[in-house]
Amino acid sequence: MNNLTISKLSKTYSNGTQALNKVSLDIPTGMFGLLGPNGAGKSTLMRTIATLQEADEGTVTFGELDVLKDKNEVRKIIGYLPQEFGLYPRTTAEVLLDHLAVLKGIRNSKERKEIVEGLLQKTNLYIHRKKKLSTYSGGMKQRFGIAQALLANPKLIIVDEPTAGLDPTERNRFHNILCELGENTVVILSTHIVEDVKELCTNMAIINNGEVLLQENPLRAINRIKGNVYSKTIRKEELAEYKRSYNVIAERLFQGKKVIHVYDERDPGKGFTPVEASLNDVYFTYIFGAAAQ
Ligand code: ADP
């Protein structure tokens, strides 16, 4: 199976914003989570791999394929689900998918019919195939997005922030489809939802300000900070003081009080209690730069 290998990829936009700074990642078959806050550079990275924009420096290879040079070859094997995609609202899913299949070069109408029906079934849209896309829910639209991304049997699938606005059932269904794909394809899931990565991905990277802060298996990443995360309930007014004195990596309100998590390699004492580390803690530990890197 082919790995997607990204090496020292950099991109600065014409307004001077550096979106990617020597990004290197080795992505094997399976679900790969790309985590980072808004503005981290995730979409820039995704669009570059999907041949939709140019990098300034660096290389991307997929097996034998030079992704940045052999754009036409890449387009044949890639499925891309962008954050937002236009739908023709008055068309039905069946008609649009058939049309997109023609554009993908599937000319034989019998073959096309089989492929389109198969994908509608796979994404649980078959019973809705004759409905206009304007009547689709957010989840149905996302699943349609997956169906179109799968048209040419892609070997590399890129999904950019897919679950925003989906209800839990729709999110679940969407995840199941992605998981199934990850069994024999490289699937890159770009998201800022840490939970999604924990549930779905065997590998992940955290990026911020265009730089890779961590690439690891999520469970191993949790293990790495195990024993170094402590919690304490404080008054809201005390937060600023605590932030000055400790590596506060998370804060949430609980019944009018603040519960904070801190990262510390030694027991901070003073009423802090050790807590089970989560992927959220990993994420914020790296984003806030508290962990030794
Ligand atoms: P993410 O997907 O993680 O939110 P992006 O790749 O969209 O991050 O953006 C990374 C950085 O590049 C941000 O600072 C963003 O404002 C900037 N950026 C993105 N697209 C452009 C563009 N076309 N022109 C200038 N700056 C951009």
Side-chain angles (χ1 to χ4, degrees):
M1 295 263 191
N2 291 331
N3 278 21
L4 181 76
T5 307
I6 300 162
S7 181
K8 296 189 180 146
L9 200 67
S10 294
K11 169 76 180 178
T12 301
Y13 286 107
S14 51
N15 66 0
T17 307
Q18 182 164 35
L20 300 175
N21 184 7
K22 297 199 172 66
V23 167
S24 296
L25 292 169
D26 191 33
I27 305 181
T29 298
M31 294 275 296
F32 186 91
L34 191 62
L35 272 176
N38 285 334
K42 302 182 299 296
S43 294
T44 304
L45 182 60
M46 304 289 91
R47 285 197 305 262
T48 308
I49 300 168
T51 76
L52 299 172
Q53 69 179 66
E54 303 280 337
D56 301 330
E57 278 174 40
T59 57
V60 182
T61 56
F62 184 54
E64 300 285 290
L65 210 57
D66 181 332
V67 173
L68 303 184
K69 292 213 178 86
D70 307 332
K71 293 200 169 75
N72 283 334
E73 289 306 306
V74 174
R75 285 171 192 152
K76 284 183 200 158
I77 56 124
I78 202 167
Y80 178 53
L81 176 55
Q83 241 173 68
E84 283 173 24
F85 52 95
L87 290 173
Y88 298 87
R90 276 179 240 185
T91 321
T92 67
E94 190 177 41
V95 168
L96 183 55
L97 207 53
D98 182 75
H99 178 67
L100 293 170
V102 173
L103 296 180
K104 276 269 179 188
I106 308 165
R107 306 243 180 265
N108 180 305
S109 63
K110 187 160 168 278
E111 184 194 356
R112 207 165 57 237
K113 191 164 186 287
E114 272 169 25
I115 291 172
V116 166
E117 279 191 14
L119 286 174
L120 289 169
Q121 255 147 7
K122 186 178 196 112
T123 51
N124 290 311
L125 288 174
Y126 191 72
I127 53 166
H128 308 294
R129 69 191 183 283
K130 300 209 184 289
K131 290 184 189 154
K132 286 185 181 148
L133 291 163
S134 57
T135 66
Y136 272 26
S137 69
M140 288 158 77
K141 282 182 189 155
Q142 286 291 14
R143 279 183 279 134
F144 183 81
I146 278 282
Q148 64 79 28
L150 293 181
L151 265 173
N153 237 337
K155 300 190 172 52
L156 172 61
I157 297 170
I158 294 177
V159 185
D160 201 349
E161 307 220 345
T163 45
L166 299 194
D167 70 34
T169 320
E170 286 176 331
R171 186 167 152 237
N172 222 346
R173 194 177 276 164
F174 189 74
H175 283 176
N176 287 340
I177 295 170
L178 288 181
C179 273
E180 213 177 290
L181 295 173
E183 285 169 16
N184 45 22
T185 322
V186 173
V187 182
I188 306 178
L189 172 69
S190 158
T191 180
H192 55 258
I193 304 172
V194 179
E195 260 323 283
D196 284 0
V197 170
K198 188 181 154 207
E199 284 173 21
L200 297 170
C201 300
T202 40
N203 280 292
M204 63 154 198
I206 298 175
I207 68 169
N208 196 16
N209 296 323
E211 293 186 20
V212 177
L213 304 181
L214 173 77
Q215 175 174 8
E216 204 164 33
N217 166 289
L219 299 181
R220 239 177 284 140
I222 293 171
N223 263 331
R224 189 185 291 285
I225 63 160
K226 210 170 166 181
N228 295 339
V229 183
Y230 296 85
S231 170
K232 185 174 179 180
T233 304
I234 60 170
R235 281 181 288 119
K236 276 189 284 186
E237 311 81 74
E238 295 173 315
L239 184 62
E241 176 58 33
Y242 273 88
K243 279 190 167 169
R244 273 194 294 276
S245 310
Y246 297 93
N247 277 322
V248 177
I249 53 170
E251 51 174 283
R252 69 185 160 90
L253 267 179
F254 182 70
Q255 299 190 340
K257 293 205 164 169
K258 278 266 173 204
V259 178
I260 56 169
H261 279 191
V262 303
Y263 177 87
D264 205 322
E265 277 155 25
R266 273 177 293 179
D267 188 341
K270 303 215 167 79
F272 278 97
T273 50
V275 286
E276 191 81 30
S278 68
L279 196 60
N280 241 320
D281 293 321
V282 171
Y283 177 73
F284 287 113
T285 302
Y286 278 87
I287 294 294
F288 294 143
Q293 285 165 37

